[in-house]
Each structure stands twice: as structure tokens, then as C-alpha cells.
Amino acid sequence: MEPESKDESQPSDQWPHKAWSLLSAVRRHSPLIQCITNFVSMDLMANTLLSAGASPAMLHTLEEIPDFTPQVHALCLNVGTLSADWLPAMKAAAEFASKSCKPWVLDPVAAGASVFRLRACLELVQLKPTVIRGNGSEIMALSKASVGPTKGVDSSHESTDAMEAAKALAQGSGAIVAVSGAIDIVTDGKRVVEAHNGVAMMQKITATGCSVTALIAAFVAVDQSNALEATALALSIFGVAGELGMSLARGPASLRMHLIDSLYGLDEATLISRVKITSFD
Amino acid sequence: MEPESKDESQPSDQWPHKAWSLLSAVRRHSPLIQCITNFVSMDLMANTLLSAGASPAMLHTLEEIPDFTPQVHALCLNVGTLSADWLPAMKAAAEFASKSCKPWVLDPVAAGASVFRLRACLELVQLKPTVIRGNGSEIMALSKASVGPTKGVDSSHESTDAMEAAKALAQGSGAIVAVSGAIDIVTDGKRVVEAHNGVAMMQKITATGCSVTALIAAFVAVDQSNALEATALALSIFGVAGELGMSLARGPASLRMHLIDSLYGLDEATLISRVKITSFD
Amino acid sequence: MEPESKDESQPSDQWPHKAWSLLSAVRRHSPLIQCITNFVSMDLMANTLLSAGASPAMLHTLEEIPDFTPQVHALCLNVGTLSADWLPAMKAAAEFASKSCKPWVLDPVAAGASVFRLRACLELVQLKPTVIRGNGSEIMALSKASVGPTKGVDSSHESTDAMEAAKALAQGSGAIVAVSGAIDIVTDGKRVVEAHNGVAMMQKITATGCSVTALIAAFVAVDQSNALEATALALSIFGVAGELGMSLARGPASLRMHLIDSLYGLDEATLISRVKITSFD
């Protein structure tokens, strides 16, 4: 109702239809997504991409980047189990993607866990990711190291801090920045979009965050000119799959299974009735 | 009915009984299968071997090959996430297996994805795998690089191309070559056996192809003198488990679970009623 | 009834309540557990820790140890897919943990598979693990290499051999030693505690052994002063989750799912009614 929250360019009821349109495009085009990711996430990430209709390719070797990366439609880099011998391939793939205007997405897992990791993330940010997705503390650590501390209007609220950090990181890096949480936030530094789908138990399954980052890569691959919207929609759709899965689950392991099944089987009516995105311009 | 499709040495109704006999042998002897495989597949591959009654061992380190590989009953090499530091162990293990007449199976995942990968696959083929299993494009890429282009009688049909490539690769390498697809093809370069089991959704689960290659290793381990038949039967049995799983599945993730459960619980009557193999000599 | 099996310090009916108390502590404090583990186990191990209420962190890089290991509450080292380039980080992390009196747990997977692996395990044992958990043959191989052959009173019984080996290893190393089997045995070299929970089919799921080792790390993290009891209780609780899962399972893959769900949902009454631990002092 407030003027500042009104989204003139994108009426709010357009989001669910856009969600279906994008998911259909992923299913139709089956974009090839190269993932250089952590060991823990590889299985769930590949299965998430497959169930959404995309084609995963888990190639991480430096020697293969020049031959293979030109063939992919998007790239997903994740530093979860980073080691010094994997970093050159990540950088080479990111560099290639940036130069050839191919979208690529960065997941700065545990960015603040060590100096080594934070430096690696900063080097990757320099290579112009299309999207950066993390949780609040990851985005705050990366933003602080990248563009300096932000002063939220009310820094006692963590979500406000994360929002300010995300905006600053987006402005400083040129990337779309997504912060996962009870409500997912996506920003280009000015515009803010919130995705309200998902269930809390998804955090009790390892690699759900990593997997939604790969899903973002698949969505941006089929709608590169609207990376902010594609990112918000991927987060929302993964959340919808979680909600549907939750209705069948007994715990985290059955949720994991039902989430993937639900993502695979998602139909238009169900998706449209559940996507909850709000946009603030 | 046609003379050329008649299988004199192996009446067609013998296949289902042979399938049960071989699965029983795997369960009874629990062959130890060393897998040097990609990171994505390790979990499903180990669980596939366990559910079939075999013993998986995921050791990939060069220093351990001389001590450990002599103890195993078969070896499974898979280049899915190959890097330069893993290749020497693969070659050492393959070399040892070849010299000691231990069966070993090669999965040339994405053989044509890069020069690096194709070269590695060609070097491994030189070390005399007992069986090579891939999808059509992998076998075609490997065959072309290994023995040159083939001229199918009707090269406009991809399955015919794959068949000709498989035969050429088998003749050139001395390996049994298996091509996975809607119908699986197995050949020694002359004889061709087709396995007609499985469901399409298995392709929506990452690492099912890798896992059936490991299963082939387990089957060849208990019937080394009939590697062609053991390969066809492993493909068929994995497909039967997929069919049984499919009847309980809601999507790819539940199919994955039910497939493994079904492989574990497979009984004689069910298996015999479902194995569909045709042989062309 | 026999005097030697009477547990004066720990009445047998205290175990179930202690089990609930410790599981509650894990859920409440959510200890951060660093796992440097094999590739096969990472997914199940992380999900086991999450479902128990702990926080997994799969960081294995040497450069990160000085920054990150000081932040964790316990460490889990597993040599399942050991290679020379991973060993320095394992040793650095273990060394840090020992010096700072942080609990750490060693899983000597396939300790006897190669000279390389056995030497690595012996070097890690020198760094004073709080707990060592393996199966009978792993503990026997490690004990023999570490403290020399043991002479069981009745060496024709494997379980007796494992018991003697465990006691000798515990005395020689100062660690609590746990031997998984139909009955799990835990000893500090003198006292012996047996955990009688679990189902045989858990051995048909890859990485269940690895995962219970990580669970032991989480339990010891919240009760460091009673590592022997915490170890026995973690083994028992994981076994209870397996028993509950088994009642819903059709095979190993559904057992894996239901086990994790059951661990997540375990309530006080169910746990207390099922924990079966006997203590011999």
C-alpha cells in the first residue's frame, strides 16, 4: 500500500506467471551448467539441476576450462571445500565467463571462516559474478571485506544489517546479491525483491543453499537480461518445492527426497498458487 | 525368428536364469570392487554395490595401489571429475589389473568434453579394460579418437552410429563395449546383445550410469570368462531394479531410493519374469 | 547378576536418562564439528550431524586450520579416501586440538589396507585422539601396529580378539576406543561398556560407520569429561535411530532416509525405552 513499496514495472501478480515461464524455459532448453563446487554438495546439486530440467556438469579441472567452459550456458562456483589447488580453475572459469558475457554465480560459503577463504572470495568477486548468493553472515563478511562496513539504519537488527550489506556489495561489485533466510532478499543495490517461500527444515539438510545457487545459475542462463528477477524466482521455486515436500516429509531426509521429487513434478497451477514475491523499487 | 538373430549358444530363455545365477554369485561371494571414480557418484556407487551384495572400496591414492589393488576382485575407473593428480593412480591400478588378469571396467564420462579428458581415456583404453561402458556420445567420441571414424550403414540414425562405433572400439581395444540408452547394447565387436530393461527417469538421477558401471565390475568379477554376458546381465538387472523402483516412485529422488531398495530385495521369481535380453550372433 | 558385571558407579538404569540428557545438550548447544573426512561419507555425515542438532563444517584445507579449528567444538578425522595432500591438514588440526584440549575423534577406515594408510593412522594416534572408533579388523590392525600383538584369552573368537586389541590400543594411546559390531564395545583400557542397539542392515548403507564417528565427536563436544560414556551413548542413539528407521524401511536406501528422520525426531520416551547399554567395571 505504501508508495515506496509499489512495483510499477512489475505488477506483483506477474511474478507467479513469470515463475512458470522461467521454469518452463529451463525444462525446454535444458541449459548446461558447469559447477565447480564443494564435495558435500555435488550429489544434491546435480540432482537439483536435473530435477529442474537443467544439465549439470561437475568439471573442476584447470586443463579442461578452455575446452569445456565455452560450451556451457552458465557457471556456478562454490567455495565450500575450497583448497589452493582448486582455486585456479575457479578463477579461469570465472574469467572466461566474464569475458564472454556468460552468466556465472558465486556461492561464498563460510566466507568469513578464514583469511584464505575470504581472500579467495574477494578475488572471485573481482571477476564480476552475475549473482552472489549466501546467507546473512556470509554476505555481511564478504561485503565488509569488499566494500567496507555498512551502517544500517538500525544495526541492532540482523536482517537490516544483511540488507544493507547486500546493497553495498551489489553496488560495489555490480552483481545481483541474494541473501537466503526466512525471507530471501535479492538486490541490485537499489531495487529489492523478497521471496517468501520455503520451510525452516530445509536448513537441516546439507547443501540446500549450495543447490539453490546452482538453480539460480540455471535460471539466469535462460533469462540473462533479467538476472535479478531470475534469481528471485529460482529462490521462490526452490522454496515452493520445499513447501510441497514438507507436506509429505517426516524429517530432513524425507524432506530432501520429496523436495527433489516436487521440483521435478511441479505443475503450472501449483506453482502459480504458491509463488510469493514482493518487490520494492 | 530370423536366422541371423538366433542365438544358438545361448537360448534366449536362458538369460533370466543366468541373471539370477550371477546376482546370487555376487551376493554369495561379495566381490571387493575398487572404485576410482568421480566425486558426484561415490555415494550412489558404493550403495549400489552394497545393495547388490558386493563390497565397495573407494581408494584412489597412488601410494596405496601396490598394497591394495592385489586384494580386490575387480576395478572400476571413472573419469567424471578427472584431474591430473588422480590419473597416475588410475593408470597404475589399471596396469596392475591388466598384468594380473583382474577384470577392470572403464567409464569414459564425457569423453569428448576436452582434449585432456579424451587423452586420458585413450591412455586408459591402452591398458586393456575388460569392459568399457558409456552413453552413445561418449562411446562415439572415444571410438573415433581411438580407431578413427566409422561408417554406419545408415549414419543418419544415432543408435546405428553408436552401434558401429561400439563394434569398432571393441575390435580395436579388445574390450567388451556397452552403450547405455533406451536399449542398452553390449558387443565384443562381433556378437551383439541388447538389454531392454530400465526406465527413462533413471537419467534424471545423477550417477546412475556411473553406478551401473560399478555393478558391471562386480558381475564380471564373479564371471570373468563371460564378460559380455555378465555386462549385459548387470545392465538388465539394474534396469529391472529401476522398473520395480519406478512403480513406487513419485519422482527422481524417490526412484533413486526405491531402485536401491529393489536391487537389494530382488528375488528370483521377480527377476526372472522381468529380464529382457536379446542376442544377435 | 555376576559381581564383575555390576556397574556401581553408573547404575544401568541411568544410561537411558543420560542418553536423553546428552542428545538434548547437542540439540541445545549445536556444537560446531569440523570433519576432515572421506569423499563418500561427506553427505551422510553432514546430514547425521544436522539431524542430531549439531553443526557440521567440512573444511579440510591446511591454510584454514589456524583460523578455523580454534572456533570448533570438536574435530572428526577420517582416513577413508586419504591421500598424501590431505594428511598435513589432518595432522595440523589434530595437533591444534590436542594442544588446546579440544576433543577429537579418529576413524581409521581400512587401517590395514596399505602401509601408507597404516602409517598415517599411527601418526594421527600419536597426536592423542580423544576417541578412536573402527570396526573389529580396523582396531585390530591399528592396535597391532601401535602396541604390538595382543594375546586374547581365547583368540579363536574374533570379538574377544577385538576386545583385547581395543583395550591394548586404549592403554597404549590414552584414547577411548570403540569397536563397532553387532554389539558395540567401548573401553578406556580397563572399563568396558557395551551398546546393544542398531540393526544389521545399517552395514549395507555406505558411511554409517563414518557418520556415527562424527556423532561421537558431537557428543564428546558437549560432555568432554566423560568421553567414554558420551561415546557409548552416541553409538546407542545412532543404533536406536536405525531401529526406528528399520520399522519403516523396505531396504538400505529407505533405511538411510528413515534413520536420519528418526534421529531428528527422537523423543525422550522413545529414546529412554530403547537405549540398551551394559557396563563392566
Side-chain angles (χ1 to χ4, degrees):
Chain A
M1 291 301 195
E2 294 171 352
E4 64 272 27
S5 71
K6 185 136 180 291
D7 182 358
E8 298 185 24
S9 63
Q10 180 75 51
S12 64
D13 59 355
Q14 289 299 303
W15 287 104
H17 293 94
K18 179 85 181 168
W20 178 249
S21 163
L22 235 59
L23 179 59
S24 302
V26 171
R27 289 175 175 175
R28 196 164 55 245
H29 298 300
S30 195
L32 182 61
I33 312 299
Q34 182 178 6
C35 304
I36 308 183
T37 187
N38 70 73
F39 300 116
V40 193
S41 69
M42 287 190 186
D43 176 277
L44 188 61
M45 184 180 288
N47 281 318
T48 297
L49 287 171
L50 284 169
S51 67
S55 292
M58 270 55 191
L59 285 87
H60 71 280
T61 299
L62 183 60
E63 291 89 334
E64 299 197 275
I65 305 296
D67 289 348
F68 187 70
T69 306
Q71 304 175 42
V72 307
H73 300 104
L75 178 68
C76 172
L77 300 186
N78 177 305
V79 300
T81 54
L82 187 66
S83 55
D85 53 335
W86 279 52
L87 190 54
M90 289 192 185
K91 288 163 76 173
E95 207 154 39
F96 177 84
S98 283
K99 281 187 182 162
S100 57
C101 297
K102 214 180 272 281
W104 76 275
V105 180
L106 174 64
D107 195 327
V109 179
S114 72
V115 171
F116 166 77
R117 185 175 289 246
L118 191 56
R119 274 189 195 148
C121 288
L122 290 173
E123 289 173 14
L124 291 170
V125 169
Q126 294 291 327
L127 297 172
K128 299 285 172 200
T130 315
V131 183
I132 303 169
R133 188 218 63 89
N135 62 31
S137 58
E138 290 159 353
I139 296 301
M140 286 191 282
L142 190 54
S143 181
K144 187 178 170 192
S146 176
V147 296
T150 50
K151 291 165 190 152
V153 287
D154 179 359
S155 67
S156 64
H157 286 95
E158 200 190 319
S159 65
T160 309
D161 284 356
M163 170 82 88
E164 293 305 311
K167 281 185 175 173
L169 180 59
Q171 286 165 5
S173 67
I176 302 298
V177 176
V179 185
S180 291
I183 297 169
D184 301 320
I185 296 165
V186 187
T187 183
D188 58 6
K190 288 187 266 182
R191 190 178 173 201
V192 174
V193 174
E194 291 179 354
H196 292 255
N197 295 104
V199 293
M201 197 188 277
M202 291 165 77
Q203 294 170 32
K204 294 292 178 186
I205 310 166
T206 199
T208 45
C210 308
S211 296
V212 81
T213 302
L215 194 64
I216 288 170
F219 273 58
V220 175
V222 297
D223 192 14
Q224 195 170 347
S225 59
N226 290 299
L228 188 153
E229 293 180 11
T231 300
L233 289 165
L235 288 162
S236 173
I237 289 174
F238 196 68
V240 168
E243 293 167 11
L244 296 170
M246 194 67 208
S247 67
L248 298 163
R250 286 183 65 254
S254 50
L255 175 57
R256 174 184 159 141
M257 180 181 78
H258 291 304
L259 185 160
I260 295 295
D261 278 1
S262 298
L263 181 55
Y264 178 82
L266 208 49
D267 63 56
E268 186 174 5
T270 306
L271 181 61
I272 285 177
S273 70
R274 284 187 169 266
V275 165
K276 282 189 201 144
I277 291 181
T278 53
S279 179
F280 305 86
D281 288 307
Chain B
M1 290 300 195
E2 297 170 349
E4 64 273 27
S5 71
K6 183 133 181 291
D7 183 357
E8 299 187 23
S9 65
Q10 181 74 52
S12 64
D13 60 355
Q14 288 300 302
W15 286 104
H17 292 93
K18 180 86 182 167
W20 177 249
S21 163
L22 235 58
L23 178 59
S24 302
V26 171
R27 289 175 175 175
R28 196 166 53 247
H29 298 301
S30 195
L32 182 60
I33 313 300
Q34 182 179 5
C35 305
I36 309 184
T37 187
N38 69 74
F39 300 118
V40 193
S41 69
M42 287 189 186
D43 176 277
L44 188 61
M45 184 179 288
N47 281 319
T48 297
L49 287 171
L50 284 169
S51 66
S55 292
M58 269 56 190
L59 285 86
H60 71 279
T61 300
L62 184 60
E63 291 90 332
E64 300 196 275
I65 305 294
D67 289 349
F68 188 70
T69 307
Q71 304 175 41
V72 308
H73 300 103
L75 178 68
C76 172
L77 300 186
N78 177 304
V79 300
T81 54
L82 186 66
S83 55
D85 55 333
W86 278 52
L87 191 53
M90 289 191 185
K91 289 162 77 172
E95 207 154 40
F96 177 85
S98 284
K99 281 187 184 163
S100 57
C101 298
K102 215 180 272 281
W104 77 275
V105 181
L106 173 64
D107 195 328
V109 178
S114 72
V115 171
F116 167 77
R117 187 176 287 246
L118 192 56
R119 274 190 196 149
C121 288
L122 290 173
E123 288 173 14
L124 292 169
V125 169
Q126 294 291 325
L127 298 171
K128 299 285 171 199
T130 315
V131 183
I132 303 169
R133 189 218 64 89
N135 62 31
S137 58
E138 290 159 354
I139 295 301
M140 286 191 283
L142 190 55
S143 181
K144 188 178 170 192
S146 176
V147 295
T150 51
K151 292 165 189 151
V153 286
D154 179 359
S155 66
S156 65
H157 286 96
E158 201 191 318
S159 65
T160 308
D161 284 357
M163 170 81 88
E164 294 306 313
K167 280 185 176 173
L169 180 59
Q171 286 165 6
S173 67
I176 302 299
V177 176
V179 185
S180 291
I183 297 169
D184 301 320
I185 296 165
V186 187
T187 182
D188 58 6
K190 289 188 265 181
R191 190 180 174 199
V192 174
V193 174
E194 291 180 355
H196 292 254
N197 295 102
V199 294
M201 197 187 278
M202 291 165 77
Q203 294 170 33
K204 294 291 179 187
I205 311 167
T206 199
T208 45
C210 307
S211 297
V212 80
T213 301
L215 194 64
I216 289 170
F219 273 59
V220 175
V222 297
D223 193 12
Q224 195 171 347
S225 59
N226 290 298
L228 189 154
E229 294 181 10
T231 300
L233 289 165
L235 288 161
S236 173
I237 289 173
F238 196 67
V240 168
E243 293 167 12
L244 296 170
M246 194 66 207
S247 67
L248 297 164
R250 287 183 65 254
S254 50
L255 175 57
R256 174 184 159 140
M257 180 180 78
H258 292 304
L259 185 160
I260 295 295
D261 278 0
S262 297
L263 181 55
Y264 179 81
L266 208 49
D267 62 55
E268 185 174 6
T270 306
L271 181 60
I272 286 177
S273 71
R274 285 189 169 265
V275 165
K276 283 187 201 146
I277 292 181
T278 53
S279 178
F280 306 86
D281 288 306
Chain C
M1 291 302 195
E2 295 172 352
E4 64 271 26
S5 69
K6 186 135 177 293
D7 183 358
E8 298 185 25
S9 63
Q10 180 75 52
S12 64
D13 59 356
Q14 289 300 304
W15 287 103
H17 292 93
K18 179 86 182 167
W20 177 249
S21 162
L22 235 58
L23 178 59
S24 302
V26 171
R27 290 174 175 175
R28 195 165 54 245
H29 297 301
S30 195
L32 182 61
I33 313 299
Q34 182 178 6
C35 304
I36 308 183
T37 187
N38 70 73
F39 300 117
V40 193
S41 69
M42 287 188 186
D43 176 277
L44 188 62
M45 186 180 287
N47 281 318
T48 297
L49 288 171
L50 284 168
S51 66
S55 293
M58 269 55 191
L59 287 86
H60 71 279
T61 300
L62 184 59
E63 291 90 332
E64 299 197 275
I65 306 294
D67 289 349
F68 187 70
T69 306
Q71 304 175 41
V72 307
H73 300 105
L75 178 69
C76 172
L77 300 186
N78 177 305
V79 301
T81 54
L82 187 66
S83 56
D85 54 334
W86 278 52
L87 190 54
M90 288 192 186
K91 288 162 77 173
E95 208 154 38
F96 177 85
S98 283
K99 280 186 184 162
S100 56
C101 297
K102 214 181 272 280
W104 78 274
V105 180
L106 174 65
D107 194 327
V109 178
S114 72
V115 171
F116 166 77
R117 187 176 287 247
L118 192 56
R119 273 190 196 149
C121 289
L122 290 173
E123 289 172 15
L124 291 170
V125 169
Q126 295 291 325
L127 298 172
K128 300 286 173 199
T130 314
V131 182
I132 304 169
R133 187 218 65 89
N135 62 31
S137 59
E138 290 159 354
I139 295 300
M140 285 190 284
L142 190 55
S143 182
K144 188 178 170 192
S146 175
V147 296
T150 50
K151 292 166 189 149
V153 287
D154 179 0
S155 66
S156 65
H157 286 96
E158 201 189 318
S159 65
T160 308
D161 283 357
M163 170 81 89
E164 293 306 312
K167 280 185 176 173
L169 180 59
Q171 286 165 4
S173 67
I176 302 297
V177 176
V179 185
S180 292
I183 296 169
D184 302 319
I185 296 165
V186 187
T187 182
D188 59 6
K190 288 188 265 181
R191 190 178 174 201
V192 174
V193 174
E194 291 179 355
H196 293 254
N197 295 103
V199 293
M201 197 187 277
M202 292 166 76
Q203 294 170 32
K204 294 291 178 186
I205 311 167
T206 198
T208 44
C210 308
S211 297
V212 80
T213 302
L215 194 65
I216 289 170
F219 273 59
V220 175
V222 298
D223 193 13
Q224 193 170 349
S225 59
N226 290 300
L228 188 153
E229 294 180 10
T231 299
L233 289 165
L235 287 162
S236 172
I237 289 174
F238 196 68
V240 167
E243 293 167 11
L244 296 170
M246 194 66 207
S247 67
L248 298 164
R250 287 182 66 254
S254 50
L255 175 57
R256 175 183 157 141
M257 180 181 78
H258 291 304
L259 185 159
I260 295 295
D261 278 0
S262 298
L263 182 55
Y264 178 81
L266 208 49
D267 63 55
E268 185 173 5
T270 306
L271 181 61
I272 286 177
S273 70
R274 285 188 167 266
V275 165
K276 282 189 200 143
I277 292 180
T278 53
S279 178
F280 305 86
D281 288 305

